[in-house]
C-alpha cells in the first residue's frame, strides 16, 4: 500500500510514470551519456521501468537502448547511449554517442558521472558541452562519494558549467525526483543554460579551427556545432571526413567546397601534427582539474580508501593475484557442477521419467501412427527436454555467481591481471572477461565481446571464445573422466583425479585461446594491441535479488531459448537417420560405418563423429546420442527403441562404452575433441549476428575442428 507521501501532488515521484518501451508520440527526447560503470543503465531503469542489465564493470551498454516515461503529463523518449570515456577517438561506441548528441538533436543530454571519480568523468562532460549546452550533469553514486568522504559543492559546479547539476544515487532512487525537475527546466527553457567554450587551445590551433568553421558554415549555414566538427577534421576523424566527402553535412551537393574543406583540414593535420592532440587533451584535463579544485574536497585518509587499496594489493598482486583468480573460478565451476546435479535429475525425472510415458500413452490413445509418435515424442520432445534438464540448472547457478562477482567489482581485477598476458598474445585485456563468460555459455561469451571497442580485437575474442568449456560440455568431460581416468586410481582418489583431469582440459582451453589469439594477430588479424584503459571500480555490496532476476532473464532464459530452438530440429534429425532405411539397414549405421575409418585415424570412432555432427545444435545431447547409437551398432536396440535418446547410470554407461570398443585413448581423445570442435548452432548463429560476416563465422566454426583433428591425431600416434 502506498503512503500519503507517495501519492502527494508535491512529490515529483508521484508524477513519474515509467512507460518502458511503449510506442507513441513524444514531447521531448533525452540522450543519456556517460563513462562506463557510472550507473547510466540504473538511471535509465529508474526512469523507464525497464530492466536493462547493469554491472560493476565497464562496457555494459554497448548498443543504444530506448525507453520512455511521462512526467507532469509530458512524454519523454530516453536514449541510453553506449558508455564511453571520450568523444575524441573513433571506436564504434564513441561514434554512436557522439553522432546522436551532435545530429540527433536531443532536447537535453543527461551526462551521468561517477561522483566518487569526478575528475576522470568530467572530461567527457566537457567534450559534450562543446557540442551542446542543453545538458544536465547527474552526479550519480553519491552514496559511494559519501563513503569515500568526498564533498561536492553542486551550486559552484553548476555555476561554472552553466548547466543544472543534480546529486543522485540511482540504485536507491535518491535524487531521481531532482533529476526530473532539472530535465523539465532545461527542456522548457526555465533554466537558461550558458553556451561556453571549455577547451582553451593555443592560438595556432584556435586559428585553424576558426578557418574550418567558416568553411563549414558556408557549406551549410544550419550545420550544428561547426567548432566540434572542425576539431575532429583537424585530428583526422575518418567518419567526419567521409561525411564531408559524401555530402552528408552539405545543404546541397557542392563537391568543390567539400574538397576544399578536406584539403584545409589535411593541411592543418600535417602542420599541427601530434602536438594538436596533446594540446587538446591537456586543455580538457586542465579545465576539469580547475573545476574540481573549485567544487570538490576529499578526505584521502578515509577508512574506505584504505580497505579498497588493501584488497587490491592482494587480488591484483603479481604472485597471489593469479592463484586467487583460478581458485575463485574453480569454486564457481565446482558449485555449478555439484549444485546442478540435483535439479538436473529432478527435471529429468519430470520430463523423461513422468511426462514422457504420459505423452506416449496419449499418442497411443489418440491412435497416432508409430512414425508420428516417434518423430514428435522420441525425436523432437526428448532432445528438447534433454537440453532443458542439462542446461537450465548449471546456467541458473553459474550466471548469478558470475554476476555477483561482477557486481562486487572483482571482474575488472581479473581483466587487470590477465591484460599483460592477452596483450602479449596480440589480444585485448577485456578478453579475459568474455572468456570467463564463455565458461557458462559460449553464445553469452560472444555477446559479451561487445565491451571490446577495437573491431580487430573483438573478432579475436569471438573466434577464440569456443575454447572456453561451456556448461553443455562439462557433463561430457566429467562423465568420461570419472569412467575412464578416475578408474585408474583407488576409489578414494577417483573423484579428485577426475576433477583434476577436467580442470586440466579447461586450462588447456585457455592455452589454446591465447595461442590462437597470437596466431590471428600475426596472420589474418594483424595489428597492435590497443591500450587497455580500465579504471578499477570501487567494491560494492552485491545486490542478490536483482542479480538473480537479471541473470535469469537477461542471460539464462535467452540463451536457453536459443538452444531449444536448435535442439528440437536436432532431435528430429537423430530420429530420422535411425529410421530411414537404406538397403538392409538404417541410414545411421551406414553413416557410422563411413565415418569409422576417419574416427579410428584420430583415436575416436564413427559413433562419436556422427554424434557430434547431429548434436551441433546442442552439446548437451552428445552423450545420450553416443549411447543410443552404440546400442544400435551392438544390436541391443529394438526397432521401437531406435532413435530414442537414452539415459543410464554411470556403471551402465561404462559397460556399454567398453562393449562398444572404447579404450582409455578413446576417452582421452573424446575429452580433447569435446574441447576442440565446432561451436554449437546457438553460438554459430550468435557469431554471425555479432560479426555480420559469413567469412568470420566460417573461420570461427572450422578452426577449432582443425585443431581437434590435429591434436587427436597426434595423441593417437604418440599413445
Amino acid at each position: 500500500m502506498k503512503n500519503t507521501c507517495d501519492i502527494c501532488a508535491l512529490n515529483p515521484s508521484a508524477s513519474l510514470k515509467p512507460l518502458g518501451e511503449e510506442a507513441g508520440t513524444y514531447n521531448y527526447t533525452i540522450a543519456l551519456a556517460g563513462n562506463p560503470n557510472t550507473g547510466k543503465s540504473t538511471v535509465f531503469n529508474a526512469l523507464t521501468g525497464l530492466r536493462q542489465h547493469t554491472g560493476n564493470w565497464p562496457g555494459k551498454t554497448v548498443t543504444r537502448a530506448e525507453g520512455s516515461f511521462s512526467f507532469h503529463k509530458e512524454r519523454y523518449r530516453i536514449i541510453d547511449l553506449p558508455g564511453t570515456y571520450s568523444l575524441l577517438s573513433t571506436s564504434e561506441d564513441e561514434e554512436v554517442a557522439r553522432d546522436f548528441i551532435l545530429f540527433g538533436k536531443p532536447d537535453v543530454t543527461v551526462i551521468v558521472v561517477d561522483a566518487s571519480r569526478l575528475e576522470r568523468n568530467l572530461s567527457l562532460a566537457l567534450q559534450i558541452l562543446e557540442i551542446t549546452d542543453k545538458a544536465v550533469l547527474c552526479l550519480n553514486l553519491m552514496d559511494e562519494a559519501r563513503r569515500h568522504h568526498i564533498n561536492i559543492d553542486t551550486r559552484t559546479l553548476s555555476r561554472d558549467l552553466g548547466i543544472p547539476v543534480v546529486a543522485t544515487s540511482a540504485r536507491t532512487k535518491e535524487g531521481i525526483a531532482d533529476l526530473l525537475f532539472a530535465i523539465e527546466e532545461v527542456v522548457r527553457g526555465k533554466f537558461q543554460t550558458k553556451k561556453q567554450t571549455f577547451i582553451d587551445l593555443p592560438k595556432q590551433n584556435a586559428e585553424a579551427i576558426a578557418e574550418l568553421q567558416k568553411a563549414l558554415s558556408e557549406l551549410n549555414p544550419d550545420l550544428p556545432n561547426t567548432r566540434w566538427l572542425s576539431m575532429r577534421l583537424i585530428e583526422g576523424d575518418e567518419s567526419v571526413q567521409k561525411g564531408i566527402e559524401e555530402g552528408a553535412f552539405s545543404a546541397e551537393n557542392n563537391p568543390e567546397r567539400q574538397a576544399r574543406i578536406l584539403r584545409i583540414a589535411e593541411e592543418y593535420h600535417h602542420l599541427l601534427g601530434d602536438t594538436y592532440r596533446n594540446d587538446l587533451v591537456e586543455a580538457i584535463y586542465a579545465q576539469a582539474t580547475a573545476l574540481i579544485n573549485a567544487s570538490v574536497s576529499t578526505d584521502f585518509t578515509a577508512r574506505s580508501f584504505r580497505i579498497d587499496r588493501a584488497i587490491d594489493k592482494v587480488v591484483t598482486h603479481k604472485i597471489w593475484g593469479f592463484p586467487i583468480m583460478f581458485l575463485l573460478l574453480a569454486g564457481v565451476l565446482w558449485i555449478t557442477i555439484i549444485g546442478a546435479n540435483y535439479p538436473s535429475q529432478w527435471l529429468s525425472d519430470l520430463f523423461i521419467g513422468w511426462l514422457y510415458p504420459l505423452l506416449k500413452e496419449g499418442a497411443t490413445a489418440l491412435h497416432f501412427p508409430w512414425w508420428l509418435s516417434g518423430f514428435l515424442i522420441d525425436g523432437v520432445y526428448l532432445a528438447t527436454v534433454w537440453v532443458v534438464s542439462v542446461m537450465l540448472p548449471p546456467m541458473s547457478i553459474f550466471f548469478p555467481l558470475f554476476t555477483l562477482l561482477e557486481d562486487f567489482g572483482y571482474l575488472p581485477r581479473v581483466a587487470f591481471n590477465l591484460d599483460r598476458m592477452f596483450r602479449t598474445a596480440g589480444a585485448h585485456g577485456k578478453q579475459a572477461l568474455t572468456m570467463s563468460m564463455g565458461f557458462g555459455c559460449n553464445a553469452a561469451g560472444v555477446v559479451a565481446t561487445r565491451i571490446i571497442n577495437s573491431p580487430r580485437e573483438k573478432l579475436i575474442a569471438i573466434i577464440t571464445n569456443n575454447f572456453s568449456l561451456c556448461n553443455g560440455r562439462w557433463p561430457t568431460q566429467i562423465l568420461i573422466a570419472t569412467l575412464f581416468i578416475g578408474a585408474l586410481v583407488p576409489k578414494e582418489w577417483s573423484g579428485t583425479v577426475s576433477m583434476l583431469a577436467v580442470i586440466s582440459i579447461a586450462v588447456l582451453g585457455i592455452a589454446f585461446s591465447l595461442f590462437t589469439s597470437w596466431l590471428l594477430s600475426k596472420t589474418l588479424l594483424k595489428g597492435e594491441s590497443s591500450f587497455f584503459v580500465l579504471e578499477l571500480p570501487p567494491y560494492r555490496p552485491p545486490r542478490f535479488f536483482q542479480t538473480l532476476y537479471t541473470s535469469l532473464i537477461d542471460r539464462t532464459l535467452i540463451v536457453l531459448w536459443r538452444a531449444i530452438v536448435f535442439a528440437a530440429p536436432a532431435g528430429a534429425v537423430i530420429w530420422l537417420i535411425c529410421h530411414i532405411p537404406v538397403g538392409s539397414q538404417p541410414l545411421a549405421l551406414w553413416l557410422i560405418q563411413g565415418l569409422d575409418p576417419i574416427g579410428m585415424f584420430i583415436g575416436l570412432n564413427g559413433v562419436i563423429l556422427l554424434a557430434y555432427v547431429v548434436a551441433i545444435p546442442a552439446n548437451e545431447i552428445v552423450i545420450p546420442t553416443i549411447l543410443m547409437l552404440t546400442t544400435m551398432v551392438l544390436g541391443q536396440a529394438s526397432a521401437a527403441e531406435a532413435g530414442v535418446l537414452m539415459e543410464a547410470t554411470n556403471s551402465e554407461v561404462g559397460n556399454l562404452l567398453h562393449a562398444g570398443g572404447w579404450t582409455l585413448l578413446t576417452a582421452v581423445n573424446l575429452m580433447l575433441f569435446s574441447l576442440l570442435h565446432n561451436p554449437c548452432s546457438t553460438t554459430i548463429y550468435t557469431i554471425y549476428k555479432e560479426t555480420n560476416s559469413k567469412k568470420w563465422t566460417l573461420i570461427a566454426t572450422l578452426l577449432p575442428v582443425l585443431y581437434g583433428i590435429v591434436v587427436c591425431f597426434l595423441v593417437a600416434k604418440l599413445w
Side-chain angles (χ1 to χ4, degrees):
M1 180 181 293
K2 293 185 177 181
N3 59 37
T4 306
C5 291
D6 290 333
I7 60 176
C8 176
L10 297 176
N11 183 359
S13 299
S15 300
L16 172 63
K17 183 182 179 183
L19 300 177
E21 297 177 338
E22 183 178 312
T25 58
Y26 304 97
N27 303 102
Y28 305 104
T29 296
I30 301 170
L32 200 61
N35 287 176
N37 201 47
T38 57
K40 210 161 42 65
S41 296
T42 308
V43 174
F44 176 86
N45 294 342
L47 294 175
T48 64
L50 295 173
R51 290 293 184 268
Q52 187 179 357
H53 181 60
T54 62
N56 191 18
W57 58 300
K60 296 307 299 179
T61 307
V62 291
T63 56
R64 271 176 38 183
E66 297 190 20
S68 58
F69 66 90
S70 173
F71 183 65
H72 287 164
K73 300 182 180 180
E74 300 282 5
R75 290 170 60 92
Y76 295 81
R77 180 173 70 119
I78 183 168
I79 313 296
D80 187 9
L81 300 174
T84 176
Y85 289 108
S86 171
L87 300 182
L88 297 178
S89 57
T90 56
S91 72
E92 182 180 350
D93 289 352
E94 290 165 354
E95 285 186 13
V96 169
R98 181 196 67 202
D99 291 349
F100 186 82
I101 296 170
L102 189 58
F103 305 112
K105 298 180 179 179
D107 295 289
V108 61
T109 298
V110 176
I111 309 166
V112 183
V113 300
D114 182 350
S116 65
R117 285 159 170 77
L118 190 55
E119 186 169 358
R120 178 168 180 81
N121 285 218
L122 206 55
S123 64
L124 176 66
L126 295 178
Q127 293 171 52
I128 292 174
L129 292 176
E130 281 287 331
I131 299 175
T132 178
D133 62 319
K134 302 297 182 184
V136 174
L137 187 68
C138 176
L139 299 175
N140 197 34
L141 301 174
M142 282 299 298
D143 51 340
E144 292 291 331
R146 287 191 292 266
R147 188 170 71 89
H148 290 91
H149 296 262
I150 299 173
N151 299 307
I152 303 174
D153 186 343
T154 56
R155 290 188 176 183
T156 299
L157 191 57
S158 175
R159 180 200 65 199
D160 293 343
L161 291 174
I163 60 172
V165 176
V166 180
T168 68
S169 181
R171 287 190 294 178
T172 60
K173 296 190 176 181
E174 175 191 342
I176 294 298
D178 295 330
L179 179 62
L180 287 166
F181 271 128
I183 293 171
E184 184 181 56
E185 287 184 337
V186 172
V187 298
R188 292 186 175 183
K190 293 180 179 179
F191 189 107
Q192 294 295 320
T193 57
K194 294 187 295 183
K195 182 62 180 168
Q196 301 182 70
T197 297
F198 292 100
I199 303 177
D200 188 16
L201 294 170
K203 182 180 179 182
Q204 189 179 17
N205 295 0
E207 290 174 350
I209 292 169
E211 184 176 348
L212 269 175
Q213 278 188 270
K214 183 180 178 183
L216 286 168
S217 297
E218 292 172 356
L219 185 68
N220 185 355
D222 298 325
L223 196 62
N225 209 306
T226 54
R227 174 178 164 85
W228 181 258
L229 287 175
S230 300
M231 291 166 65
R232 302 304 304 138
L233 281 169
I234 293 173
E235 195 168 349
D237 189 317
E238 292 182 359
S239 64
V240 179
Q241 291 173 344
K242 187 177 180 182
I244 296 291
E245 186 178 358
E246 295 178 350
F249 302 135
S250 306
E252 57 185 26
N253 191 32
N254 194 324
E256 185 178 340
R257 285 184 175 178
Q258 292 161 200
R260 177 173 172 267
I261 290 172
L262 291 174
R263 187 174 62 255
I264 294 172
E266 183 71 16
E267 289 173 358
Y268 279 121
H269 178 72
H270 290 293
L271 176 65
L272 300 176
D274 293 336
T275 59
Y276 174 80
R277 171 80 177 197
N278 295 335
D279 290 340
L280 190 61
V281 173
E282 287 178 7
I284 293 171
Y285 278 97
Q287 185 62 49
T289 302
L291 291 166
I292 295 294
N293 291 338
S295 57
V296 180
S297 60
T298 306
D299 180 5
F300 291 101
T301 64
R303 180 172 175 268
S304 53
F305 272 116
R306 297 197 304 270
I307 292 174
D308 280 10
R309 289 170 181 169
I311 297 174
D312 279 340
K313 282 182 180 179
V314 178
V315 300
T316 62
H317 194 273
K318 292 182 179 180
I319 298 175
W320 303 113
F322 281 89
I324 292 171
M325 181 176 63
F326 282 112
L327 283 173
L328 276 174
L329 179 59
V332 168
L333 293 175
W334 184 82
I335 294 171
T336 300
I337 294 167
I338 300 301
N341 287 336
Y342 295 105
S344 287
Q345 188 60 52
W346 295 336
L347 289 173
S348 180
D349 292 342
L350 172 64
F351 291 127
I352 300 174
W354 180 73
L355 190 56
Y356 173 71
L358 287 181
L359 291 174
K360 293 294 287 186
E361 292 173 8
T364 303
L366 294 171
H367 304 290
F368 276 29
W370 71 269
W371 59 267
L372 182 60
S373 171
F375 180 82
L376 292 177
I377 301 174
D378 296 334
V380 175
Y381 172 77
L382 275 184
T384 303
V385 298
W386 260 106
V387 170
V388 173
S389 57
V390 175
M391 281 188 71
L392 181 58
M395 284 197 301
S396 300
I397 297 171
F398 179 86
F399 286 145
L401 290 176
F402 193 88
T403 310
L404 285 172
L405 289 176
E406 171 189 316
D407 281 352
F408 178 63
Y410 179 70
L411 290 191
R413 276 77 184 177
V414 172
F416 179 86
N417 289 336
L418 295 177
D419 175 49
R420 185 174 180 180
M421 188 181 298
F422 276 96
R423 280 179 55 82
T424 303
H428 198 286
K430 288 182 182 178
Q431 191 173 323
L433 302 176
T434 65
M435 180 187 69
S436 300
M437 183 68 76
F439 282 114
C441 174
N442 294 136
V446 170
V447 173
T449 61
R450 296 174 183 176
I451 67 173
I452 300 173
N453 291 333
S454 166
R456 184 188 71 86
E457 291 167 333
K458 178 182 176 182
L459 269 175
I460 291 176
I462 287 173
I463 294 170
T464 58
N465 196 263
N466 189 58
F467 299 122
S468 296
L469 274 178
C470 65
N471 62 50
R473 290 180 278 176
W474 285 106
T476 300
Q477 296 284 344
I478 294 168
L479 177 64
I480 300 303
T482 302
L483 293 178
F484 289 89
I485 297 177
L488 299 175
V489 299
K491 189 175 180 179
E492 59 268 23
W493 292 99
S494 177
T496 303
V497 171
S498 301
M499 182 58 70
L500 288 174
V502 176
I503 294 297
S504 297
I505 294 292
V507 172
L508 182 64
I510 296 173
F512 267 100
S513 181
L514 290 167
F515 169 74
T516 307
S517 297
W518 174 83
L519 186 65
L520 290 170
S521 69
K522 300 297 181 182
T523 54
L524 296 177
L525 294 168
K526 289 183 180 180
E528 296 292 327
S529 301
S530 62
F531 289 103
F532 181 30
V533 181
L534 175 63
E535 185 176 21
L536 298 180
Y539 293 103
R540 298 171 188 162
R543 295 157 292 171
F544 180 78
F545 292 106
Q546 184 174 339
T547 295
L548 186 64
Y549 176 87
T550 56
S551 298
L552 291 175
I553 300 300
D554 291 355
R555 293 174 175 172
T556 303
L557 295 184
I558 290 175
V559 174
L560 181 65
W561 171 246
R562 286 186 178 180
I564 290 172
V565 167
F566 288 107
V573 171
I574 293 170
W575 190 88
L576 285 172
I577 65 172
C578 291
H579 286 86
I580 296 175
V582 180
S584 59
Q585 59 185 16
L587 176 60
L589 291 179
W590 286 109
L591 292 171
I592 290 170
Q593 291 167 11
L595 291 170
D596 245 339
I598 302 172
M600 296 297 181
F601 183 70
I602 58 174
L604 300 171
N605 58 45
V607 167
I608 295 172
L609 294 185
L610 180 58
Y612 271 102
V613 171
V614 297
I616 287 177
N619 286 297
E620 292 76 10
I621 61 176
V622 166
I623 288 296
T625 304
I626 287 175
L627 299 180
M628 182 268 293
L629 293 175
T630 302
T631 60
M632 286 189 64
V633 172
L634 295 174
Q636 298 179 8
S638 66
E641 294 171 334
V644 179
L645 296 183
M646 60 177 294
E647 62 177 338
T649 64
N650 281 5
S651 61
E652 291 172 336
V653 172
N655 293 333
L656 183 62
L657 295 180
H658 280 104
W662 282 49
T663 64
L664 181 60
L665 171 63
T666 313
V668 170
N669 271 6
L670 175 60
M671 292 179 70
L672 290 170
F673 196 75
S674 176
L675 171 69
L676 305 171
H677 76 282
N678 54 276
C680 68
S681 298
T682 307
T683 304
I684 294 172
Y685 175 74
T686 305
I687 291 171
Y688 179 73
K689 294 291 289 184
E690 291 298 318
T691 62
N692 198 29
S693 168
K694 294 179 181 178
K695 170 189 170 183
W696 292 115
T697 303
L698 192 64
I699 290 173
T701 301
L702 297 181
L703 184 61
V705 179
L706 178 62
Y707 278 160
I709 293 171
V710 172
V711 170
C712 287
F713 170 77
L714 292 174
V715 172
K717 292 302 175 185
L718 295 172
W719 193 262

